[in-house]
């Protein structure tokens, strides 16, 4: 606290990311990073761009990356906005599309950055409870709102909302934007991108952090009709004209183009996830079906915080949220088969 701070700063409750400890041999399953490395083509492209060219500013429009994303999804660059991680894209979405005289709606259990942006931008919001099984009921969102946002698959539950339900909502909520945060969609979901041409009220947000294993590069994007993209451009150009650096733009393009590596690694994660679910179920854990690169597990006889602490003592870090309704769950990122085996072995020991 300081008298030099703007009044708003006193009132902020900043987002707390999962910890990034620097311990050797840690099995780090707490922040949904990809256990496999990024595309070798992306790494080579970034390496080749580490040269005198860094003297120059990057392309402020990020056109090469927008084109690569557009090509991947069969859209035009005018339907693509790129940002410095999807967190930055989301920040511009909140400022550019959600400041209207009604509350923003999002699930009570979802990405915990959403209320943080509301605090930063003074956006009124209302949370809509998921069912006891963590399912999102789209009918609950048919109420006056400044916008609707949810993650699909949801975080931290991993649950997927079918495309048909999203379309049902888009048809009935036409006066505000529905934002689908698809950070995990490549691990088992159907993207709402296919609806972009038909629904001017739809914005899809994705990231290269998870399924393309580039959390460290900070690249995210939004897909929607040009009218929505222009709002984000206007906010960006009033905030930072060059959010994506030259390396991020070049690496992002190569990562979007390298479909082989992408397919191979996301399939490996999905197979490991399904195997890990079966093993955890044998140990007595319960979990909703996951379409993401993590699972959300609870054990009927064991306290989640104690399990997390016991895992930590064995060098394995998972995420535990001390929040209502989910404080008996652990969010466990899918690791390599070796990391998953270490997790199962440690849990077997702890539960014995
Ligand atoms: C990881 C995550 C993001 C942020 O991703 P970045 O692109 O790394 O900023 C956004 N939304 C959800 C739901 C996430 O889990």
């Amino acid at each position: 606290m300081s008298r030099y701070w703007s009044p708003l700063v006193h009132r902020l409750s900043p987002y707390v990311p999962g910890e990034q400890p620097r311990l050797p041999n840690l099995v780090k399953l707490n922040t949904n990073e990809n256990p496999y490395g990024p595309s070798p083509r992306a790494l080579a492209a970034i390496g080749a761009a580490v040269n005198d060219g860094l003297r120059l500013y990057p392309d402020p429009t990020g056109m090469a990356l927008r084109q690569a994303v557009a090509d991947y999804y069969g859209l035009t660059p005018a339907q693509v906005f790129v940002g410095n991680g999807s967190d930055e894209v989301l920040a511009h979405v909140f400022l550019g599309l959600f400041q209207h005289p009604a509350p923003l709606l999002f699930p009570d259990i979802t990405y915990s950055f959403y209320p943080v942006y509301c605090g930063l931008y003074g956006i009124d919001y209302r949370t809509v409870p998921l069912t006891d099984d963590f399912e999102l009921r789209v009918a609950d969102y048919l109420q006056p709102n400044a916008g609707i946002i949810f993650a699909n698959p949801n975080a931290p539950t991993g649950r997927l909302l079918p495309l048909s339900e999203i379309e049902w909502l888009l048809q009935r909520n036409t006066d505000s934007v529905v934002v689908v945060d698809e950070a995990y969609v490549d691990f088992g979901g159907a993207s709402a991108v296919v609806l972009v041409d038909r629904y001017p009220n739809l914005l899809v947000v994705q990231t290269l952090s998870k399924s393309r294993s580039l959390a460290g590069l900070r690249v995210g994007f939004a897909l929607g009709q040009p009218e929505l993209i222009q709002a984000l451009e206007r906010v960006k150009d009033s905030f930072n004209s060059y959010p994506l650096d030259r390396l991020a733009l070049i690496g992002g393009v190569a990562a979007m183009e390298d479909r082989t590596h992408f397919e191979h690694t996301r399939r490996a994660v999905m197979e490991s996830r399904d195997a890990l679910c079966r093993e955890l179920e044998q140990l007595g854990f319960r979990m909703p079906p996951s379409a993401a690169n993590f699972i959300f597990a609870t054990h009927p006889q064991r306290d989640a915080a104690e399990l997390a602490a016991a895992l930590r003592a064995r060098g394995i870090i998972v995420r535990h949220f001390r929040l209502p309704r989910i404080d008996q769950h652990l969010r466990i990122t899918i690791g390599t088969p070796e990391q998953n085996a270490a997790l199962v072995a440690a849990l077997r020991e702890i539960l014995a």
Side-chain angles (χ1 to χ4, degrees):
M1 299 284 248
S2 159
R3 68 195 171 95
Y4 298 119
W5 292 7
S6 302
L8 169 72
V9 176
H10 290 280
R11 297 195 303 269
L12 294 177
S13 13
Y15 177 73
V16 184
E19 52 176 334
Q20 297 287 352
R22 305 262 172 267
L23 302 172
N25 305 322
L26 194 70
V27 178
K28 190 174 175 305
L29 306 177
N30 68 328
T31 53
N32 297 343
E33 286 141 330
N34 196 314
Y36 303 107
S39 151
R41 282 174 59 185
L43 297 180
I46 294 166
V50 178
N51 59 39
D52 181 62
L54 287 174
R55 189 173 63 75
L56 302 170
Y57 279 108
D59 170 13
T61 70
M63 191 48 77
L65 180 58
R66 287 165 65 190
Q67 186 68 58
V69 172
D71 289 347
Y72 184 85
Y73 280 117
L75 300 173
T76 66
Q79 295 172 300
V80 182
F81 176 82
V82 292
N84 192 15
S86 59
D87 283 341
E88 187 185 82
V89 175
L90 288 168
H92 293 345
V93 168
F94 276 64
L95 185 62
L97 300 172
F98 288 160
Q99 282 194 327
H100 300 291
L104 174 69
L105 303 178
F106 51 82
D108 62 337
I109 301 165
T110 190
Y111 189 36
S112 49
F113 222 134
Y114 303 155
V116 175
Y117 294 128
C118 289
L120 179 61
Y121 295 124
I123 294 169
D124 181 28
Y125 69 90
R126 183 176 296 160
T127 58
V128 181
L130 298 176
T131 67
D132 289 344
D133 294 329
F134 302 134
E135 282 181 291
L136 187 154
R137 278 183 310 231
V138 280
D140 295 348
Y141 290 76
L142 300 184
Q143 48 176 304
N145 67 75
I148 297 171
I149 183 166
F150 52 83
N152 195 41
N154 198 10
T157 67
R159 264 198 183 277
L160 184 72
L161 184 68
L163 218 48
S164 54
E165 308 258 319
I166 295 173
E167 187 161 18
W168 187 93
L169 183 61
L170 288 167
Q171 286 165 351
R172 284 159 187 80
N173 187 88
T174 51
D175 291 335
S176 70
V177 176
V178 177
V179 176
V180 186
D181 179 351
E182 295 189 334
Y184 302 104
V185 77
D186 296 320
F187 298 110
S191 174
V193 169
V194 293
L195 303 176
V196 156
D197 278 327
R198 273 186 287 143
Y199 296 95
N201 52 335
L202 169 65
L203 191 78
V204 175
V205 177
Q206 291 193 7
T207 174
L208 271 60
S209 294
K210 277 69 180 235
S211 57
R212 289 184 177 81
S213 199
L214 284 169
L217 199 63
R218 312 304 300 129
V219 181
F221 54 88
L223 308 164
Q225 294 195 7
E227 201 180 55
L228 298 184
I229 300 305
Q230 280 158 22
L232 304 179
E233 294 288 344
R234 289 171 70 95
V235 173
K236 165 199 162 265
D237 289 330
S238 306
F239 173 80
N240 178 0
S241 307
Y242 307 104
L244 283 151
D245 62 65
R246 299 179 81 93
L247 305 182
L249 288 172
I250 280 183
V253 169
M256 292 308 297
E257 287 175 352
D258 191 348
R259 299 193 187 206
T260 312
H261 181 80
F262 169 70
E263 285 300 333
H264 185 72
T265 50
R266 78 186 180 107
R267 281 184 198 289
V269 169
M270 289 189 280
E271 278 166 30
S272 297
R273 174 189 65 213
D274 299 342
L276 182 60
C277 285
R278 285 193 295 275
E279 294 199 83
L280 293 187
E281 275 164 1
Q282 276 168 14
L283 293 176
F285 285 91
R286 311 258 164 80
M287 62 218 76
S290 169
N293 69 335
F294 56 83
I295 52 183
F296 199 51
T298 183
H299 196 285
Q301 280 98 40
R302 301 296 288 264
D303 180 68
E306 284 172 23
L307 287 176
L311 283 171
R312 193 188 177 87
R314 289 165 175 79
I316 300 172
I317 306 197
V318 300
R319 191 97 195 253
H320 174 248
F321 299 91
R322 286 177 202 283
L323 293 174
R325 296 188 68 191
I326 58 170
D327 66 346
Q328 284 309 317
H329 282 75
L330 297 175
R331 194 197 65 190
I332 306 172
T333 305
I334 307 303
T336 60
E338 295 72 29
Q339 290 176 315
N340 300 337
L343 170 79
V344 171
L347 283 172
R348 190 167 284 134
E349 203 178 282
I350 294 163
L351 293 170

